[in-house]
Amino acid sequence: MPRFAGSLSTLQNALEAVAMIAFALSGVIAAGRKQLDAVGVCAVAAITAFGGGTLRDVLLDRRPFYWVAHADWLWILLALCLAAMLFLRQRHLHLTERAILWPDALGLGLFAASGTQIALAENMPSLVAVVMGMMTSAFGGALRDIVCNEIPTAFRDHRPYALCAFAGGWVVVGAREIGASEQGALAAGALCATSLRALAIAFDWRLPAWRTGGEA
């Protein structure tokens, strides 16, 4: 039988909320760059905001899903999308791909820490919990890019992405092992993942690209 997704701590709810807003904004920007209509913008924002957490809850067999248990977020997301579209249209801002990276980096770190903590609370092994946090943080952005007919940024720009979430998840695990509070572990993991991703963007750190033997 599916396990009920019990109430999260105040800090976990706050992290999930800020992460969803950050990812939703990155979805709005991505949809705006593709000149989608209002329905498309809302759909891409929702997929980005809720996709990773939904995958986590499916794999952990948690019910109801976070956005079902907190249905007010659907209204908040809709209002956010409409406000963002009006603001961007009035300001005539040029939506660059780089503009997506910063809210995405924030959402990455927050979801990595929160997803890891939720999996640990379900008594998952440390490695499984970290992978769950990584999927929570990376899957929504990957879906966003696929829906917008792009190769996911996490795979094509060669700057560390999922690895940042992976590192942040282990910081959560390590902090808990040394007796840190739940709040301290969450904050440390989120700060680690977001900071690593921000540094990778700012200093253009890149992972080596795969090259086949036939390439020059």
Side-chain angles (χ1 to χ4, degrees):
M1 292 293 291
R3 290 188 296 276
F4 178 75
S7 60
L8 303 180
S9 70
T10 301
L11 182 59
Q12 278 180 311
N13 274 316
L15 289 184
E16 293 266 318
V18 176
M20 283 188 293
I21 291 172
F23 268 152
L25 286 174
S26 77
V28 169
I29 295 170
R33 293 185 68 241
K34 292 294 183 178
Q35 299 183 337
L36 303 186
D37 61 19
V39 174
V41 170
C42 292
V44 172
I47 288 170
T48 312
F50 302 134
T54 299
L55 176 64
R56 174 199 66 212
D57 290 345
V58 167
L59 294 176
L60 292 177
D61 199 22
R62 301 174 78 242
R63 299 294 188 278
F65 299 140
Y66 185 89
W67 58 272
V68 175
H70 303 81
D72 288 346
W73 276 106
L74 297 174
W75 291 109
I76 294 171
L77 180 75
L78 179 61
L80 176 67
C81 290
L82 294 176
M85 284 187 289
L86 289 173
F87 176 81
L88 293 173
R89 176 170 293 184
Q90 291 177 356
R91 296 286 180 171
H92 301 289
L93 297 179
H94 181 57
L95 300 177
T96 64
E97 184 175 9
R98 191 173 180 83
I100 300 173
L101 298 178
W102 298 109
D104 189 77
L106 177 61
L108 178 82
L110 296 175
F111 267 148
S114 180
T116 301
Q117 187 82 291
I118 287 171
L120 289 172
E122 296 284 341
N123 298 315
M124 294 293 111
S126 296
L127 179 59
V128 173
V130 172
V131 171
M132 287 292 174
M134 184 173 64
M135 287 191 300
T136 303
S137 59
F139 189 67
L143 282 179
R144 173 199 65 213
D145 294 340
I146 290 170
V147 170
C148 290
N149 199 29
E150 300 278 356
I151 297 173
T153 303
F155 306 145
R156 65 181 163 83
D157 75 351
H158 303 299
R159 286 182 287 250
Y161 188 85
L163 285 178
C164 299
F166 193 69
W170 280 114
V171 168
V172 173
V173 172
R176 285 169 58 104
E177 287 294 323
I178 64 174
S181 65
E182 176 183 308
Q183 292 80 3
L186 282 169
L191 180 62
C192 173
T194 296
S195 297
L196 286 174
R197 178 59 179 168
L199 289 170
I201 295 169
F203 293 101
D204 201 29
W205 294 344
R206 291 181 179 269
L207 298 172
W210 176 266
R211 300 186 183 279
T212 63
E215 292 181 346

